[in-house]
């Protein structure tokens, strides 16, 4: 729209295409370099946006929700931001990665640990429901469900990522872990 100040009518049918019902979301537990690792098991839901990146630069570069979920967002738009959910059991979450845009996490249920940096520089903060952390471009980060009072209970984390076709890239250490697992080496 050229001038946002011009009010335009919008039909109910048009607006209903922009409604996502949680119970109808299609999640994916694949499509990322770390998806098969036991410590990384999670389900990602692309709710708004997440158009696949224009081109994959290497095996470590992908859509933040992976190839599977980015092909089925509930509300398929490209308006400068993306919203999704992660559902995981305690101890589960992705390996260290970074993004080409901002990424913001909001814990919805349970406790979530958000880590950044690697090695001796690694830091973390734990989020309780409705707490928020916002990672800037290029900072290596990961998150993990740390709600250990119910070992088999999944909890929900919301993530908001800027851009129309955001990209994530797993760190070299994360990719080494994926390669080790693929070769049958466990930790």
């Amino acid at each position: 729209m050229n001038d946002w100040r011009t009010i335009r009518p919008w039909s109910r049918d048009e607006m209903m295409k922009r409604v996502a019902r949680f119970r109808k979301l299609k999640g994916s537990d694949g499509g990322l370099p770390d998806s098969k690792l036991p410590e990384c098991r999670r389900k990602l839901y692309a709710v708004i946006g997440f158009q696949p990146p224009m081109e994959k630069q290497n095996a470590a570069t992908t859509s933040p929700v992976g190839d599977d979920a980015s092909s089925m967002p509930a509300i398929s738009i490209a308006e400068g931001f993306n919203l999704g959910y992660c559902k995981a059991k305690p101890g589960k979450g992705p390996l260290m990665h970074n993004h080409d845009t901002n990424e913001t996490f909001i814990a919805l249920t349970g406790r979530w640990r958000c880590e950044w940096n690697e090695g001796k520089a690694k830091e973390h903060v734990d989020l309780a429901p409705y707490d928020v952390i916002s990672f800037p471009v290029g900072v290596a980060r990961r998150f993990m469900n740390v709600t250990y009072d119910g070992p088999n209970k999944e909890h929900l984390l919301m993530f908001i990522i800027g851009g129309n076709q955001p990209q994530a890239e797993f760190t070299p250490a994360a990719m080494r872990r994926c390669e080790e697992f693929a070769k049958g080496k466990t930790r």
Side-chain angles (χ1 to χ4, degrees), residues 8-21 74-75 77 79:
R8 60 188 168 136
W10 201 257
S11 73
R12 179 171 180 78
D13 287 342
E14 289 172 306
M15 190 55 71
M16 293 310 290
K17 293 176 187 172
R18 296 173 73 102
V19 173
R21 304 284 185 198
I75 302 172
I77 63 172
E79 296 177 359

Side-chain angles (χ1 to χ4, degrees), residues 90 110-111 146-153 155:
R111 295 189 65 78
V146 292
T147 318
Y148 292 107
D149 59 349
N152 290 314
K153 185 175 181 185
H155 287 279

Side-chain angles (χ1 to χ4, degrees), residues 1 4 22 38 40 54 65 72 79 84 94 96-97 104 128 146 169 171:
M1 174 163 208
W4 61 269
F22 186 80
C40 298
M54 299 261 292
V65 293
M72 55 181 176
E79 296 177 359
M96 203 59 89
H97 62 281
T104 298
V146 292
E169 185 171 79
T171 66

Side-chain angles (χ1 to χ4, degrees), residues 17-169:
K17 293 176 187 172
R18 296 173 73 102
V19 173
R21 304 284 185 198
F22 186 80
R23 69 182 182 277
K24 292 184 178 181
L25 293 178
K26 296 175 185 163
S28 172
D29 58 3
L32 288 162
D34 66 353
S35 294
K36 295 182 178 170
L37 276 69
E39 69 268 29
C40 298
R41 301 280 181 186
R42 64 202 183 275
K43 188 168 272 193
L44 297 173
Y45 299 86
V47 181
I48 298 175
F50 288 112
Q51 307 302 311
M54 299 261 292
E55 57 186 62
K56 280 187 112 166
Q57 296 173 2
N58 56 51
T61 304
T62 183
S63 165
V65 293
D67 295 337
D68 296 351
S70 69
S71 69
M72 55 181 176
I75 302 172
S76 183
I77 63 172
E79 296 177 359
F81 74 99
N82 306 269
L83 183 143
Y85 299 123
C86 176
K87 188 187 282 187
K89 291 181 180 180
K92 310 296 183 192
L95 294 180
M96 203 59 89
H97 62 281
N98 66 13
H99 287 269
D100 65 343
T101 64
N102 175 283
E103 181 176 37
T104 298
F105 296 121
I106 305 168
L108 297 179
T109 65
R111 295 189 65 78
W112 292 84
R113 174 158 296 160
C114 296
E115 298 176 340
W116 62 97
N117 304 331
E118 287 183 305
K120 292 180 182 179
K122 185 167 29 173
E123 299 278 352
H124 77 271
V125 66
D126 290 349
L127 303 180
Y130 313 115
D131 290 345
V132 177
I133 188 170
S134 184
F135 285 101
V137 172
V139 173
R141 82 288 305 262
R142 70 179 302 265
F143 56 86
M144 178 175 51
N145 179 350
V146 292
T147 318
Y148 292 107
D149 59 349
N152 290 314
K153 185 175 181 185
E154 293 179 309
H155 287 279
L156 202 60
L157 178 77
M158 178 191 293
F159 48 89
I160 302 165
I161 301 175
N164 286 329
Q165 293 177 302
Q167 295 182 69
E169 185 171 79

